[in-house]
Amino acid sequence: MKELRLDPIACDGHGLCAELFPEGIRIDDWGFPIVEGEVPPALEKHARRAVAACPVQALRLRRRG
């Protein structure tokens, strides 16, 4: 299983990731993403799209463990 990680210092709060992957990312009251963590295999393609679209490369998808 893969894990989605956020670098909160790099994140500028664009919100594009939450639009592309709402199953695993939601937006807090200040407009910054909250990442759920584990990404099921069926949703990995969507998570990869959110990672690729991040304008500041604040998201990473990595193998868990």
Side-chain angles (χ1 to χ4, degrees):
M1 183 156 315
K2 300 279 177 131
E3 180 180 40
L4 192 60
R5 301 289 306 248
L6 172 71
D7 179 349
I9 295 178
C11 181
D12 284 340
H14 293 272
L16 186 58
C17 58
E19 290 180 30
L20 293 172
F21 189 47
E23 301 89 350
I25 303 170
R26 59 188 169 89
I27 300 295
D28 70 11
D29 293 338
W30 297 277
F32 288 91
I34 297 173
V35 176
E36 300 299 326
E38 290 186 0
V39 177
L43 297 175
E44 189 175 321
K45 181 179 176 181
H46 299 287
R48 286 188 188 280
R49 186 171 35 181
V51 169
C54 180
V56 295
Q57 300 178 345
L59 285 173
R60 299 273 188 260
L61 188 62
R62 66 180 201 173
R63 188 178 311 254
R64 198 158 177 228

